[in-house]
Amino acid sequence: MASALPPGATVTTPARVWYARDVLVVARDLLGAYVTRRSPEGDVTVRVTEVEAYAGSEDPGSHAFRGRTARNGVMFAEPGRLYVYRHLGLHHCVNVVAQPTGSPAAVLLRAGEVVDGEDLAWERRERVGVVDSRRQLARGPARLAVCLGLDLQDNGADVTEPEGAVVVHRPGTTHAQHATGPRVGVSGTGGDAGRFPWRFWLQNEPTVSPYRPAYRSPAPADAPDGATASA
């Protein structure tokens, strides 16, 4: 596994209990973490630079605000699994489930830096659109999902297994200073910056996506997390 990370990187694979904490804490602690996707095409690793937290029944911006459905069922399952959904029928968004089982919450992986498997990530991105720079490879949730080759088939994947197809590693040293602000494209009450400053990002990182407010009228509470977010 070490070969998929920057030379000399010291990392650990958080156990499931690490994810069974408050979603805001997990979100902040995922900054600077590495997500590796293994596939027959090859391995790609992304260093997470931007995330958003969604807190279930307490959060009108969350898929789980109105309860469990066939679509959001993974959010109610054990923490440390991926919740992948298709946004507006256009692209996929990848979340990591947090908090204890039955307490639905998830962290959206909004953006990152490709640190291994860049050629494969670039090829995947070119299959679906234009890539104009390295910093744009995984800048935004849809682009990040494409770089890692993640889609609905990965919904429910366990990221706590060191040899799994998708795994999260945390660096041995603390990450750089982070900033907070309103979530991107979330409409209605869930987009209230005062109540939900639940977007977190590493400062001075060129891969962090730009902030955009919601561009349409308030969406239903069961709309996708970050209802109008796009890569």
Side-chain angles (χ1 to χ4, degrees):
M1 186 63 224
S3 63
L5 301 172
T10 301
V11 297
T12 59
T13 306
R16 197 170 312 285
V17 66
W18 186 87
Y19 296 95
R21 300 178 297 155
D22 183 273
V23 68
L24 298 179
V25 175
V26 175
R28 290 191 292 267
D29 286 350
L30 280 172
L31 290 173
Y34 300 100
V35 181
T36 295
R37 161 69 158 162
R38 299 184 178 101
S39 75
E41 289 184 299
D43 297 353
V44 174
T45 297
V46 170
R47 183 175 68 97
V48 178
T49 60
E50 179 187 6
V51 298
E52 288 178 349
Y54 291 88
S57 61
E58 305 172 8
D59 179 2
S62 172
H63 283 188
F65 182 59
R66 291 187 175 175
R68 184 169 185 160
T69 66
R71 182 191 192 199
N72 67 21
V74 172
M75 292 182 71
F76 292 78
E78 59 187 0
R81 292 191 177 273
L82 292 186
Y83 170 45
V84 184
Y85 63 83
R86 192 164 178 82
H87 173 59
L88 299 179
L90 299 174
H91 54 249
H92 297 92
C93 292
V94 179
N95 303 255
V96 180
V97 177
Q99 300 192 170
T101 302
S103 177
V107 179
L108 172 66
L109 305 181
R110 274 208 58 85
E113 174 195 12
V114 178
V115 296
D116 187 75
E118 183 175 324
D119 289 345
L120 176 55
W122 198 287
E123 179 184 337
R124 285 172 172 167
R125 288 273 281 105
E126 286 186 327
R127 292 176 196 167
V128 297
V130 176
V131 189
D132 58 14
S133 68
R134 185 176 183 274
R135 74 168 186 146
Q136 296 283 8
L137 272 177
R139 190 178 187 230
R143 291 171 177 165
L144 183 148
V146 170
C147 284
L148 290 172
L150 296 172
D151 56 27
L152 293 179
Q153 296 183 56
D154 301 292
N155 189 41
D158 189 347
V159 301
T160 69
E161 295 292 336
E163 302 305 319
V166 188
V167 61
V168 172
H169 297 280
R170 293 190 69 239
T173 56
T174 56
H175 57 66
Q177 186 175 4
H178 71 270
T180 65
R183 295 175 297 196
V184 175
V186 179
S187 56
T189 305
D192 187 323
R195 290 182 58 189
F196 301 103
W198 290 359
R199 173 178 172 242
F200 306 93
W201 65 94
L202 294 177
Q203 292 184 320
N204 302 315
E205 285 283 347
T207 57
V208 172
S209 61
Y211 172 74
R212 293 188 297 271
Y215 60 79
R216 63 181 185 181
S217 59
D222 61 350
D225 293 350
T228 58
S230 61

